[in-house]
């Protein structure tokens, strides 16, 4: 297993800075998630760790050793790409077994068979082992690609949105299985996703990336409860955090506050027959959610009411000051 340290890593592609002075330490045996939108620099970071890209500046260390110029084969990383990258002329069995037959780590065929069958059963493709990849669905091909990485038992797994092409049920099942395998093996996993559900269910810690820079690193709960910026607050949470005008909080908010954020579960909801309340736009018993509007601002609130509110109904919403988060015009978090 391995710890990973990126020290001032920068990578340019022409005029585009894909990774900008990245400072990041990933502990040995940690399930670490890089979360951010497309173009944030997540995949480039994985490729830099794997040695598939060379940084323009900075140093990359694994277990304290400088690996900045080391070849990919010296790093012992297994990479699961977003695209399947399978060998079309080989069977599923031989695709999964391929890394175990490499000259540097060639194993006995009986050991290979046991490993391949174990991984195939976990991924529900044990009945597909003698097929060619061209006879598989997209989701099945992605499972083969995941299996090819899992069977290797490397010191670092690098996973680039590996579950994105799977159906919802299998995606949820494999999230649980990947986490279980990582805990039992003690492997270091660096996992890329734009899906906050994946990030919060899998990660020991998360790094929020935007435009090639890390905005915040912490456990899912730390980032959810104590975001350092408005963009980080908006990155986690479903339904999304409410962003309200600071003018609604006169006498409570700092004079420097431009925005006030509050999670839907922290909004207190009550019926209101008056004209000054909020007008219900949508109410869902399944999601336990009410969406209301006032002065053109939509507010989402959690509710445990036993019946849905009709659109147009009036409700009173209260925002406890101790649960509000205040941000200045630049989006920086202010002290409460």
């Amino acid at each position: 297993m391995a710890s990973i340290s990126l020290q001032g890593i920068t990578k340019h592609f022409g005029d585009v800075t894909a990774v900008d002075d990245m400072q990041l330490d990933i502990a040995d045996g940690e399930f670490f998630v890089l979360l951010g939108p497309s173009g944030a620099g997540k995949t480039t970071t994985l490729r830099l760790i794997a040695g598939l890209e060379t940084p323009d500046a900075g140093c990359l260390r694994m277990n304290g050793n400088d690996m900045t110029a080391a070849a990919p084969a010296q790093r012992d990383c297994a990479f699961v790409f977003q695209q399947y990258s399978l060998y079309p002329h080989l069977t599923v069995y031989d695709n999964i077994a391929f890394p175990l037959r490499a000259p540097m780590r060639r194993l006995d065929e009986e050991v290979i068979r046991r490993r391949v069958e174990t991984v195939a059963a976990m991924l529900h493709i044990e009945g597909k082992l003698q097929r060619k990849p061209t006879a598989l669905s997209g989701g099945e091909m992605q499972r083969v690609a995941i299996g090819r990485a899992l069977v290797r038992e490397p010191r670092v797994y690098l996973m680039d949105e590996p579950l994105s092409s799977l159906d919802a049920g299998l995606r949820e099942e494999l999230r649980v299985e990947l986490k279980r395998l990582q805990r039992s093996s003690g492997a270091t996993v660096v996992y890329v996703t734009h899906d906050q559900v994946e990030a919060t269910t899998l990660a020991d810690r998360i790094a929020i990336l935007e435009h090639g820079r890390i905005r915040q690193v912490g456990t899912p709960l730390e980032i959810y409860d104590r975001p350092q910026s408005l963009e980080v607050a908006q990155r986690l949470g479903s339904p999304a955090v409410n962003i309200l005008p600071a003018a609604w909080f006169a006498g409570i908010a700092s004079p420097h506050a431009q925005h006030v954020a509050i999670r839907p579960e922290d909004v207190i909801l009550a019926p209101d027959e008056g004209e000054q309340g909020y007008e219900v736009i949508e109410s869902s018993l399944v999601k336990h959610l009410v969406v209301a509007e006032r002065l053109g601002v939509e507010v989402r609130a959690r509710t445990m009411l036993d019946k849905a509110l009709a659109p147009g109904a009036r409700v009173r919403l209260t925002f406890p000051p101790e649960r509000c988060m205040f941000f200045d015009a630049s989006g920086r978090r202010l002290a409460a």
Side-chain angles (χ1 to χ4, degrees):
M1 307 309 117
S3 62
I4 302 168
S5 180
L6 285 75
Q7 302 170 355
I9 292 290
T10 298
K11 180 64 180 179
H12 301 282
F13 294 102
D15 296 331
V16 177
T17 303
V19 176
D20 190 1
D21 191 27
M22 183 173 290
Q23 308 281 348
L24 180 63
D25 292 310
I26 299 170
D28 186 357
E30 188 171 27
F31 201 122
F32 196 93
V33 173
L34 301 174
L35 175 65
S38 297
K42 307 184 301 296
T43 297
T44 301
T45 302
L46 279 196
R47 292 176 63 84
L48 287 162
I49 295 171
L52 302 178
E53 300 286 354
T54 303
D56 298 320
C59 175
L60 187 144
R61 295 183 178 274
M62 300 179 77
N63 285 340
N65 300 314
D66 188 347
M67 302 296 284
T68 311
Q74 297 175 286
R75 305 187 186 206
D76 193 20
C77 298
F79 203 126
V80 181
F81 295 90
Q82 192 171 7
Q83 302 302 321
Y84 321 122
S85 303
L86 303 178
Y87 300 106
H89 62 291
L90 299 180
T91 63
V92 167
Y93 181 98
D94 289 329
N95 264 283
I96 297 176
F98 190 85
L100 303 181
R101 292 170 174 160
M104 292 179 65
R105 61 173 66 83
R106 190 172 185 88
L107 300 179
D108 179 80
E109 283 297 324
E110 179 58 24
V111 175
I112 292 174
R113 182 188 65 79
R114 288 199 301 269
R115 283 205 197 175
V116 170
E117 290 179 352
T118 298
V119 168
M122 184 199 76
L123 296 169
H124 305 300
I125 51 174
E126 61 269 41
K128 315 283 186 181
L129 290 176
Q130 299 311 313
R131 296 190 182 184
K132 297 289 181 66
T134 50
L136 304 178
S137 68
E140 288 168 342
M141 285 192 282
Q142 186 66 309
R143 278 180 273 172
V144 176
I146 294 171
R148 189 172 56 189
L150 295 179
V151 80
R152 261 195 58 194
E153 300 179 3
R155 60 179 184 172
V156 177
Y157 291 102
L158 304 173
M159 299 190 173
D160 189 2
E161 304 205 43
L163 309 182
S164 58
S165 63
L166 306 181
D167 63 72
L170 184 58
R171 194 159 59 240
E172 183 175 349
E173 182 179 340
L174 285 184
R175 280 202 301 265
V176 174
E177 194 62 30
L178 282 175
K179 187 64 176 178
R180 185 191 67 78
L181 281 169
Q182 185 269 337
R183 283 179 173 166
S184 63
S185 68
T188 304
V189 176
V190 186
Y191 190 102
V192 157
T193 185
H194 66 274
D195 185 331
Q196 61 168 302
V197 174
E198 279 189 12
T200 53
T201 54
L202 288 172
D204 294 320
R205 287 192 302 151
I206 298 171
I208 305 291
L209 266 65
E210 296 274 355
H211 307 299
R213 297 188 68 89
I214 293 177
R215 301 305 183 189
Q216 188 170 342
V217 177
T219 67
L221 185 58
E222 286 171 347
I223 292 177
Y224 186 81
D225 274 350
R226 298 187 292 278
Q228 296 172 358
S229 68
L230 190 60
E231 62 184 4
V232 170
Q234 293 173 296
R235 185 57 56 190
L236 290 188
S238 181
V241 67
N242 293 297
I243 308 298
L244 308 176
W248 289 11
F249 297 82
I252 298 173
S254 159
H256 301 292
Q258 186 74 26
H259 307 285
V260 180
I262 185 169
R263 300 288 180 188
E265 61 269 24
D266 294 326
V267 177
I268 299 172
L269 181 147
D272 188 349
E273 300 300 330
E275 294 299 317
Q276 300 302 313
Y278 294 75
E279 182 178 340
V280 172
I281 299 173
E282 177 187 348
S283 177
S284 170
L285 293 179
V286 174
K287 297 179 181 178
H288 305 295
L289 181 69
V290 171
V291 182
E293 182 268 344
R294 177 187 173 198
L295 302 176
V297 179
E298 288 189 7
V299 183
R300 291 165 291 279
R302 291 291 192 184
T303 177
M304 296 303 293
L305 298 175
D306 56 5
K307 64 178 181 178
L309 296 169
R314 292 279 173 175
V315 292
R316 184 170 68 253
L317 300 180
T318 306
F319 312 109
E322 68 275 11
R323 300 304 300 163
C324 292
M325 299 176 283
F326 302 96
F327 300 88
D328 65 17
S330 70
R332 182 175 57 89
R333 179 82 178 267
L334 299 171

